[in-house]
Amino acid sequence: MTELNNIALKILSNGKGILATDESTGTMTKRLEGVNVESTVENRLLFRETLFSSDSMKSCIGGVILYDETIKQNSNLKKSIPELISNSGAIPGIKVDTGAKKLALSNNETITEGLDGLRERLKEYYDLGARFTKWRGVFKISTKNNLPTHEAIKANAHALGRYSALVQEANMVPIVEPEVLMDGDHDIDKCYQITKMVLEETFYQLSNNNLKLDGIILKPNMILHGSSNEGKNENKQIAEMTLNCLKESVPKEVPGIAFLSGGQTELEATKNLNLINKYNDTSFIMTYSYGRALQQSALKFWSKDIKNIKGTQNIFNHRANMCTLAAQGKWSEELESK
Ligand code: 13P
């Protein structure tokens, strides 16, 4: 077993998943202002550190994705943030892309940037304790405008390939995140078709860049109706189509798949992951790498009284426990409402 494969398995095994707290300062400001909390450096640290010191970090969370600001912060508990995470048994990771920018001369498609100087930044992050990284390519479906274009798919998949190679060279595990957005009026079949195209191009580019596929983690979207499509999202259909799409497009060497929640509610993201695992007849570990679907209720509660650390942690612990049950196909409505 290679060192990178070992790290990937440590993050994903035994129902553990990934806590994605790598919101850029801009996104975190939107989230905090959405619940009427001022977005200061201290408040961003306080909320995140509240999650990182909760009990479920030991039992449920295998890895935490940090943002540049957080990985360099010291916890109020007198440790560095990466130390606080490692002490709970989870592995610290870091988002290394610098965001999705407009692809020049395109119809509002995006290209994710951050390759320039990445080799040097990776060294810095490794020294700070990171052992895995994340890069997110974004693909928006528009049936009317025939998007995404082949050009945007190729450009973003190519960037994911170059990013991943740099990360493995630096002895870290790349999370490869090609996200087909939920936004739009497309139906579930369209989501399937585009996700398959995107995944196939991504793995083509990873193989061109000599990636060791047993040392990556794939972070895809689930297959869903667009958020403004009239079709009703049925958990069974989502689970079956998601599994089929991944079986058709992901090479067997990949050890694990950690889904993004992408705007699904906490409950939907949990139910869908649970059914995916009930039906999972592949060799892939199927778990979560959720941002909003792990943090939303905890953030809402915390915003009412940011000093109520225990109360906030209870809510986060419940959510993380439910996701970890779902990652083993053991979640139920009854356990949810306990
Ligand atoms: P969501 O689960 O909120 O989609 O966030 C996951 C993530 O890391 C997106 O890049």
Coordinates of all heavy atoms in Angstrom, one line a residue, residues 157-235:
A157 N -10.9 20.3 -16.5 CA -10.3 19.0 -16.2 C -8.8 19.0 -16.3 O -8.1 18.3 -15.6 CB -10.9 18.0 -17.2
H158 N -8.3 19.8 -17.3 CA -6.9 19.8 -17.4 C -6.2 20.5 -16.2 O -5.2 20.0 -15.7 CB -6.5 20.7 -18.7 CG -5.1 20.7 -19.0 ND1 -4.3 21.9 -18.8 CD2 -4.2 19.8 -19.4 CE1 -3.1 21.6 -19.1 NE2 -3.0 20.4 -19.5
A159 N -6.9 21.5 -15.7 CA -6.4 22.2 -14.5 C -6.4 21.2 -13.3 O -5.5 21.1 -12.5 CB -7.2 23.4 -14.1
L160 N -7.5 20.4 -13.2 CA -7.5 19.4 -12.1 C -6.4 18.4 -12.3 O -5.8 17.9 -11.3 CB -8.9 18.6 -12.2 CG -10.1 19.4 -11.5 CD1 -11.4 18.7 -12.0 CD2 -10.0 19.3 -10.0
G161 N -6.0 18.0 -13.5 CA -4.9 17.1 -13.7 C -3.6 17.7 -13.3 O -2.8 17.1 -12.6
R162 N -3.4 18.9 -13.7 CA -2.1 19.6 -13.3 C -2.0 19.8 -11.8 O -0.9 19.6 -11.2 CB -1.9 20.9 -14.0 CG -1.5 20.7 -15.5 CD -1.0 22.0 -16.1 NE 0.1 22.6 -15.3 CZ 0.4 23.9 -15.3 NH1 -0.3 24.7 -16.0 NH2 1.4 24.3 -14.6
Y163 N -3.1 20.2 -11.2 CA -3.1 20.4 -9.7 C -2.8 19.1 -9.0 O -2.0 19.1 -8.1 CB -4.5 21.0 -9.4 CG -5.1 20.4 -8.1 CD1 -4.7 20.9 -6.8 CD2 -6.1 19.3 -8.1 CE1 -5.3 20.3 -5.7 CE2 -6.6 18.8 -7.0 CZ -6.2 19.3 -5.8 OH -6.7 18.7 -4.6
S164 N -3.5 18.0 -9.4 CA -3.3 16.8 -8.7 C -1.9 16.3 -8.8 O -1.4 15.7 -7.8 CB -4.3 15.7 -9.3 OG -5.6 16.1 -9.3
A165 N -1.3 16.4 -10.0 CA 0.1 16.0 -10.1 C 1.0 16.7 -9.2 O 1.9 16.1 -8.5 CB 0.6 16.2 -11.6
L166 N 0.9 18.0 -9.1 CA 1.7 18.8 -8.2 C 1.5 18.4 -6.7 O 2.4 18.3 -5.9 CB 1.3 20.3 -8.3 CG 2.0 21.0 -9.5 CD1 1.2 22.3 -9.8 CD2 3.4 21.4 -9.2
V167 N 0.3 18.0 -6.4 CA -0.1 17.6 -5.0 C 0.6 16.3 -4.7 O 1.2 16.1 -3.6 CB -1.6 17.6 -4.8 CG1 -1.9 17.0 -3.4 CG2 -2.2 19.0 -4.9
Q168 N 0.5 15.3 -5.6 CA 1.1 14.0 -5.3 C 2.6 14.2 -5.3 O 3.3 13.5 -4.4 CB 0.7 13.0 -6.4 CG -0.8 12.5 -6.1 CD -1.1 11.2 -6.9 OE1 -0.4 10.8 -7.8 NE2 -2.2 10.6 -6.5
E169 N 3.2 15.0 -6.1 CA 4.6 15.3 -6.0 C 5.0 15.8 -4.7 O 6.1 15.5 -4.2 CB 5.0 16.3 -7.1 CG 6.5 16.7 -7.2 CD 6.7 17.9 -8.1 OE1 6.6 19.0 -7.6 OE2 7.0 17.7 -9.3
A170 N 4.1 16.6 -4.0 CA 4.4 17.1 -2.7 C 4.0 16.2 -1.6 O 3.9 16.6 -0.4 CB 3.7 18.4 -2.5
N171 N 3.7 14.9 -1.9 CA 3.3 13.8 -1.0 C 2.0 14.1 -0.2 O 1.9 13.8 1.0 CB 4.5 13.6 0.1 CG 5.6 12.9 -0.6 OD1 5.4 12.0 -1.3 ND2 6.8 13.4 -0.3
M172 N 1.1 14.7 -0.9 CA -0.2 14.9 -0.3 C -1.3 14.2 -1.2 O -1.0 14.0 -2.4 CB -0.5 16.4 -0.1 CG 0.4 17.0 1.0 SD -0.1 18.6 1.4 CE 0.8 19.5 0.2
V173 N -2.5 14.0 -0.7 CA -3.6 13.4 -1.4 C -4.4 14.5 -2.0 O -5.0 15.3 -1.3 CB -4.4 12.5 -0.5 CG1 -5.7 12.0 -1.2 CG2 -3.6 11.3 0.0
P174 N -4.6 14.5 -3.4 CA -5.5 15.5 -3.9 C -6.9 15.1 -3.9 O -7.3 14.0 -4.3 CB -5.0 15.6 -5.4 CG -4.4 14.3 -5.7 CD -3.9 13.8 -4.4
I175 N -7.8 16.0 -3.3 CA -9.2 15.8 -3.6 C -9.5 16.4 -4.9 O -9.2 17.6 -5.1 CB -10.1 16.5 -2.5 CG1 -9.9 15.8 -1.1 CG2 -11.6 16.4 -2.9 CD1 -10.9 16.2 -0.1
V176 N -10.1 15.6 -5.8 CA -10.4 16.1 -7.1 C -11.9 16.3 -7.1 O -12.7 15.4 -7.0 CB -10.0 15.0 -8.2 CG1 -10.4 15.4 -9.5 CG2 -8.5 14.7 -8.1
E177 N -12.3 17.6 -7.2 CA -13.7 18.0 -7.1 C -14.2 18.7 -8.4 O -14.0 19.9 -8.6 CB -13.9 19.0 -6.0 CG -15.4 19.3 -5.8 CD -15.7 20.3 -4.6 OE1 -14.7 20.7 -4.0 OE2 -16.8 20.5 -4.4
P178 N -14.8 17.9 -9.3 CA -15.4 18.5 -10.5 C -16.9 18.6 -10.1 O -17.6 17.6 -10.2 CB -15.2 17.4 -11.6 CG -14.9 16.1 -10.9 CD -14.8 16.4 -9.4
E179 N -17.4 19.8 -9.8 CA -18.8 20.0 -9.3 C -19.7 20.4 -10.5 O -19.5 21.5 -11.0 CB -18.9 21.0 -8.2 CG -20.3 21.2 -7.8 CD -20.6 22.1 -6.6 OE1 -19.6 22.7 -6.1 OE2 -21.7 22.2 -6.2
V180 N -20.6 19.6 -10.8 CA -21.7 20.0 -11.7 C -22.8 20.6 -10.9 O -23.4 19.9 -10.0 CB -22.2 18.8 -12.6 CG1 -23.4 19.2 -13.5 CG2 -21.1 18.2 -13.4
L181 N -23.0 21.9 -11.0 CA -23.9 22.6 -10.1 C -25.4 22.1 -10.2 O -25.8 21.7 -11.3 CB -23.9 24.1 -10.4 CG -22.6 24.8 -10.2 CD1 -22.6 26.3 -10.7 CD2 -22.2 24.8 -8.7
M182 N -26.1 22.2 -9.1 CA -27.5 21.9 -9.1 C -28.4 23.0 -9.8 O -29.5 22.8 -10.2 CB -27.9 21.9 -7.6 CG -28.5 20.6 -7.1 SD -28.5 20.6 -5.3 CE -30.1 21.3 -5.0
D183 N -27.8 24.2 -9.8 CA -28.6 25.4 -10.4 C -29.1 25.1 -11.8 O -28.3 24.6 -12.6 CB -27.8 26.7 -10.5 CG -27.0 27.0 -9.2 OD1 -27.2 26.2 -8.2 OD2 -26.2 27.9 -9.2
G184 N -30.4 25.4 -12.1 CA -30.8 25.3 -13.4 C -32.1 24.5 -13.5 O -32.6 23.9 -12.5
D185 N -32.7 24.5 -14.7 CA -34.0 23.8 -14.9 C -33.9 22.5 -15.6 O -34.8 21.9 -16.0 CB -35.0 24.7 -15.6 CG -34.5 25.1 -17.0 OD1 -33.4 24.6 -17.4 OD2 -35.2 25.8 -17.7
H186 N -32.6 22.0 -15.7 CA -32.4 20.7 -16.4 C -32.9 19.5 -15.6 O -33.1 19.7 -14.3 CB -30.9 20.5 -16.6 CG -30.1 20.6 -15.3 ND1 -29.7 21.8 -14.8 CD2 -29.7 19.6 -14.4 CE1 -29.0 21.5 -13.6 NE2 -29.0 20.2 -13.4
D187 N -33.2 18.4 -16.3 CA -33.7 17.3 -15.5 C -32.6 16.3 -15.1 O -31.4 16.6 -15.4 CB -34.8 16.5 -16.3 CG -34.3 15.9 -17.6 OD1 -33.0 15.8 -17.7 OD2 -35.1 15.5 -18.4
I188 N -32.9 15.3 -14.4 CA -31.9 14.4 -13.8 C -31.1 13.7 -14.9 O -29.9 13.4 -14.7 CB -32.6 13.4 -12.8 CG1 -31.6 12.7 -11.9 CG2 -33.5 12.4 -13.5 CD1 -32.2 12.1 -10.7
D189 N -31.7 13.4 -16.0 CA -31.0 12.7 -17.1 C -29.9 13.6 -17.7 O -28.8 13.1 -18.0 CB -32.0 12.3 -18.3 CG -32.9 11.2 -17.8 OD1 -32.5 10.3 -17.1 OD2 -34.1 11.3 -18.2
K190 N -30.2 14.9 -17.8 CA -29.2 15.8 -18.2 C -28.0 15.9 -17.2 O -26.9 15.9 -17.6 CB -29.8 17.2 -18.4 CG -28.9 18.3 -19.0 CD -28.9 18.0 -20.5 CE -27.9 19.0 -21.2 NZ -27.7 18.6 -22.6
C191 N -28.3 15.9 -15.9 CA -27.3 15.9 -14.9 C -26.4 14.7 -15.0 O -25.2 14.8 -15.0 CB -28.0 16.0 -13.5 SG -26.7 16.0 -12.2
Y192 N -27.1 13.6 -15.3 CA -26.3 12.3 -15.5 C -25.4 12.4 -16.7 O -24.2 12.1 -16.6 CB -27.3 11.2 -15.7 CG -26.7 9.8 -15.8 CD1 -26.9 8.9 -14.7 CD2 -26.0 9.3 -16.9 CE1 -26.4 7.6 -14.8 CE2 -25.5 8.1 -17.0 CZ -25.7 7.2 -15.9 OH -25.1 5.9 -16.0
Q193 N -25.9 12.9 -17.8 CA -25.1 12.9 -19.0 C -23.9 13.9 -18.9 O -22.8 13.5 -19.2 CB -26.1 13.4 -20.1 CG -25.5 13.6 -21.5 CD -26.2 14.7 -22.3 OE1 -27.4 15.0 -22.0 NE2 -25.5 15.3 -23.3
I194 N -24.2 15.1 -18.3 CA -23.1 16.0 -18.2 C -22.0 15.6 -17.1 O -20.8 15.7 -17.3 CB -23.6 17.4 -17.8 CG1 -24.6 18.0 -18.9 CG2 -22.5 18.4 -17.5 CD1 -23.9 18.3 -20.2
T195 N -22.5 15.0 -16.0 CA -21.6 14.5 -15.0 C -20.7 13.4 -15.5 O -19.5 13.4 -15.3 CB -22.4 14.0 -13.7 OG1 -23.2 15.1 -13.3 CG2 -21.4 13.6 -12.6
K196 N -21.3 12.6 -16.3 CA -20.5 11.5 -16.9 C -19.4 12.0 -17.9 O -18.2 11.7 -17.8 CB -21.4 10.5 -17.7 CG -20.8 9.3 -18.3 CD -21.8 8.3 -18.7 CE -21.2 7.0 -19.3 NZ -20.8 7.1 -20.6
M197 N -19.8 13.0 -18.7 CA -18.8 13.7 -19.6 C -17.7 14.3 -18.8 O -16.5 14.2 -19.1 CB -19.5 14.8 -20.4 CG -19.8 14.4 -21.8 SD -21.0 15.5 -22.6 CE -20.2 17.0 -22.6
V198 N -18.1 15.0 -17.7 CA -17.1 15.7 -16.9 C -16.1 14.8 -16.2 O -14.9 14.9 -16.2 CB -17.8 16.6 -15.9 CG1 -16.9 17.1 -14.8 CG2 -18.5 17.8 -16.6
L199 N -16.7 13.7 -15.7 CA -15.9 12.7 -15.0 C -14.9 12.0 -15.9 O -13.7 11.8 -15.6 CB -16.7 11.7 -14.2 CG -17.5 12.2 -13.0 CD1 -18.4 11.1 -12.4 CD2 -16.5 12.7 -11.9
E200 N -15.4 11.7 -17.1 CA -14.6 11.0 -18.1 C -13.4 11.9 -18.5 O -12.3 11.4 -18.6 CB -15.4 10.5 -19.3 CG -16.2 9.2 -18.8 CD -17.2 8.7 -19.9 OE1 -17.4 9.4 -20.9 OE2 -17.7 7.6 -19.7
E201 N -13.7 13.1 -18.8 CA -12.6 14.0 -19.2 C -11.6 14.2 -18.0 O -10.4 14.3 -18.2 CB -13.3 15.4 -19.6 CG -12.3 16.4 -20.2 CD -11.5 16.0 -21.5 OE1 -12.1 15.2 -22.3 OE2 -10.4 16.4 -21.7
T202 N -12.2 14.3 -16.8 CA -11.3 14.5 -15.7 C -10.3 13.3 -15.5 O -9.1 13.5 -15.4 CB -12.1 14.7 -14.4 OG1 -13.0 15.8 -14.5 CG2 -11.3 14.9 -13.1
F203 N -10.8 12.1 -15.6 CA -9.9 10.9 -15.5 C -9.0 10.8 -16.6 O -7.9 10.3 -16.5 CB -10.7 9.7 -15.1 CG -11.2 9.6 -13.7 CD1 -12.5 9.9 -13.3 CD2 -10.2 9.4 -12.7 CE1 -12.8 10.0 -12.0 CE2 -10.6 9.4 -11.4 CZ -11.9 9.7 -11.0
Y204 N -9.4 11.3 -17.8 CA -8.5 11.3 -19.0 C -7.3 12.2 -18.7 O -6.2 11.8 -18.9 CB -9.3 11.7 -20.2 CG -8.5 11.9 -21.4 CD1 -7.9 10.9 -22.1 CD2 -8.3 13.2 -21.9 CE1 -7.1 11.1 -23.3 CE2 -7.5 13.5 -23.0 CZ -6.9 12.4 -23.7 OH -6.2 12.6 -24.8
Q205 N -7.6 13.4 -18.1 CA -6.6 14.3 -17.8 C -5.7 13.8 -16.6 O -4.5 14.1 -16.6 CB -7.1 15.7 -17.5 CG -7.9 16.3 -18.7 CD -6.9 16.8 -19.8 OE1 -5.7 16.8 -19.7 NE2 -7.5 17.1 -20.9
L206 N -6.3 13.2 -15.7 CA -5.5 12.7 -14.6 C -4.5 11.6 -15.1 O -3.3 11.6 -14.7 CB -6.4 12.0 -13.5 CG -7.3 13.0 -12.7 CD1 -7.9 12.2 -11.5 CD2 -6.6 14.2 -12.1
S207 N -5.0 10.8 -16.0 CA -4.1 9.7 -16.5 C -3.0 10.3 -17.4 O -1.9 9.9 -17.3 CB -5.0 8.6 -17.2 OG -4.6 8.4 -18.5
N208 N -3.3 11.4 -18.1 CA -2.3 12.1 -18.9 C -1.2 12.7 -18.0 O -0.1 12.9 -18.5 CB -2.9 13.2 -19.8 CG -3.6 12.7 -21.0 OD1 -3.5 11.5 -21.3 ND2 -4.4 13.5 -21.7
N209 N -1.6 13.0 -16.8 CA -0.7 13.7 -15.9 C 0.0 12.7 -14.9 O 0.6 13.1 -13.9 CB -1.4 14.8 -15.1 CG -1.5 16.1 -15.9 OD1 -0.6 16.8 -16.0 ND2 -2.7 16.3 -16.5
N210 N -0.1 11.4 -15.3 CA 0.6 10.3 -14.5 C 0.2 10.2 -13.1 O 1.0 9.8 -12.2 CB 2.1 10.5 -14.6 CG 2.6 10.6 -16.0 OD1 2.2 9.9 -16.8 ND2 3.5 11.6 -16.2
L211 N -1.1 10.5 -12.8 CA -1.5 10.4 -11.4 C -1.6 8.9 -10.9 O -2.0 8.0 -11.7 CB -3.0 11.0 -11.3 CG -3.0 12.4 -10.8 CD1 -2.8 12.5 -9.3 CD2 -2.1 13.3 -11.5
K212 N -1.3 8.7 -9.7 CA -1.5 7.4 -9.1 C -2.9 7.4 -8.5 O -3.2 8.1 -7.5 CB -0.5 7.2 -7.9 CG 0.9 7.0 -8.4 CD 1.8 6.6 -7.2 CE 3.2 7.0 -7.4 NZ 3.5 8.4 -7.1
L213 N -3.8 6.7 -9.2 CA -5.2 6.8 -8.9 C -5.6 6.3 -7.5 O -6.6 6.6 -6.9 CB -6.1 6.2 -10.0 CG -6.1 6.9 -11.3 CD1 -6.9 6.2 -12.3 CD2 -6.5 8.4 -11.2
D214 N -4.7 5.4 -6.9 CA -5.1 4.9 -5.6 C -4.7 5.9 -4.5 O -4.9 5.7 -3.3 CB -4.4 3.6 -5.3 CG -2.9 3.7 -5.2 OD1 -2.3 4.8 -5.5 OD2 -2.2 2.7 -4.7
G215 N -4.2 7.1 -4.9 CA -3.8 8.1 -4.0 C -4.5 9.4 -4.2 O -4.0 10.5 -4.0
I216 N -5.8 9.3 -4.7 CA -6.7 10.5 -4.8 C -8.0 10.2 -4.1 O -8.3 9.1 -3.8 CB -7.0 10.9 -6.3 CG1 -8.0 9.9 -6.9 CG2 -5.7 11.0 -7.1 CD1 -8.7 10.5 -8.1
I217 N -8.7 11.3 -3.9 CA -10.1 11.1 -3.4 C -11.0 11.9 -4.4 O -10.7 13.1 -4.7 CB -10.3 11.7 -2.0 CG1 -9.5 10.9 -1.0 CG2 -11.8 11.7 -1.6 CD1 -9.5 11.5 0.4
L218 N -12.0 11.3 -4.9 CA -12.9 12.0 -5.8 C -14.1 12.6 -5.0 O -14.6 12.0 -4.2 CB -13.5 11.0 -6.9 CG -14.5 11.6 -7.9 CD1 -13.8 12.6 -8.8 CD2 -15.3 10.6 -8.6
K219 N -14.3 13.9 -5.3 CA -15.4 14.6 -4.6 C -16.4 15.1 -5.7 O -16.3 16.2 -6.2 CB -14.9 15.8 -3.8 CG -15.9 16.6 -3.2 CD -15.4 17.5 -2.1 CE -16.4 18.5 -1.5 NZ -16.0 19.1 -0.3
P220 N -17.4 14.2 -6.0 CA -18.4 14.6 -7.1 C -19.7 15.1 -6.5 O -20.0 15.0 -5.3 CB -18.6 13.3 -7.8 CG -18.5 12.2 -6.7 CD -17.6 12.8 -5.6
N221 N -20.5 15.6 -7.4 CA -21.9 15.9 -7.1 C -22.7 14.6 -7.2 O -22.3 13.6 -7.9 CB -22.5 16.9 -8.0 CG -22.3 16.5 -9.5 OD1 -21.1 16.7 -10.0 ND2 -23.3 15.9 -10.1
M222 N -23.9 14.5 -6.5 CA -24.8 13.4 -6.7 C -25.6 13.8 -8.0 O -25.6 14.9 -8.5 CB -25.8 13.3 -5.6 CG -25.1 12.8 -4.3 SD -26.2 12.7 -2.9 CE -25.1 12.4 -1.6
I223 N -26.3 12.8 -8.6 CA -27.1 13.0 -9.8 C -28.5 13.4 -9.4 O -29.3 12.6 -8.8 CB -27.1 11.7 -10.7 CG1 -25.7 11.3 -11.0 CG2 -27.9 12.0 -12.0 CD1 -24.8 12.3 -11.7
L224 N -28.9 14.7 -9.7 CA -30.2 15.2 -9.2 C -30.9 16.0 -10.3 O -30.2 16.5 -11.2 CB -29.9 16.3 -8.1 CG -29.0 15.9 -6.9 CD1 -28.5 17.1 -6.2 CD2 -29.9 15.0 -5.9
H225 N -32.2 16.3 -10.1 CA -32.8 17.3 -11.0 C -32.2 18.6 -10.7 O -31.9 18.9 -9.5 CB -34.3 17.3 -10.7 CG -35.1 16.2 -11.2 ND1 -35.3 16.0 -12.5 CD2 -35.8 15.3 -10.6 CE1 -36.1 14.9 -12.7 NE2 -36.4 14.4 -11.5
G226 N -32.2 19.5 -11.7 CA -31.8 20.9 -11.4 C -32.7 21.5 -10.4 O -33.9 21.1 -10.2
S227 N -32.2 22.5 -9.6 CA -33.0 23.1 -8.5 C -34.3 23.8 -9.0 O -35.2 23.9 -8.2 CB -32.2 24.0 -7.6 OG -31.5 24.9 -8.5
S228 N -34.4 24.2 -10.2 CA -35.6 24.8 -10.7 C -36.4 23.9 -11.7 O -37.2 24.4 -12.4 CB -35.4 26.3 -11.2 OG -34.3 26.3 -12.1
N229 N -36.0 22.7 -11.7 CA -36.7 21.7 -12.6 C -38.0 21.3 -11.8 O -38.0 21.2 -10.6 CB -35.9 20.5 -12.9 CG -36.5 19.5 -13.8 OD1 -37.3 18.7 -13.4 ND2 -36.2 19.6 -15.1
E230 N -39.1 21.0 -12.6 CA -40.4 20.6 -11.9 C -40.3 19.2 -11.3 O -41.1 18.9 -10.4 CB -41.5 20.7 -12.9 CG -41.9 22.1 -13.3 CD -42.5 22.1 -14.6 OE1 -42.8 21.1 -15.2 OE2 -42.8 23.3 -15.1
G231 N -39.4 18.4 -11.8 CA -39.3 17.0 -11.4 C -39.0 16.9 -9.9 O -38.3 17.7 -9.4
K232 N -39.6 15.9 -9.3 CA -39.4 15.7 -7.8 C -38.2 14.8 -7.7 O -38.0 13.8 -8.3 CB -40.6 15.1 -7.2 CG -40.6 15.1 -5.7 CD -42.0 14.6 -5.2 CE -42.0 14.2 -3.8 NZ -40.9 13.8 -3.1
N233 N -37.2 15.2 -6.8 CA -36.1 14.4 -6.5 C -36.5 13.2 -5.6 O -37.0 13.4 -4.5 CB -35.0 15.2 -5.8 CG -34.1 15.9 -6.9 OD1 -33.7 15.4 -7.9 ND2 -33.8 17.2 -6.6
E234 N -36.4 12.0 -6.2 CA -36.7 10.8 -5.4 C -35.4 10.2 -4.9 O -34.5 9.9 -5.8 CB -37.4 9.8 -6.3 CG -38.7 10.3 -6.9 CD -39.9 10.3 -6.0 OE1 -39.7 9.9 -4.8 OE2 -41.0 10.8 -6.4
N235 N -35.3 9.8 -3.6 CA -34.0 9.3 -3.1 C -33.5 8.1 -3.8 O -32.4 7.9 -4.1 CB -34.2 9.0 -1.6 CG -34.6 10.2 -0.8 OD1 -35.6 10.2 -0.2 ND2 -33.9 11.3 -0.9

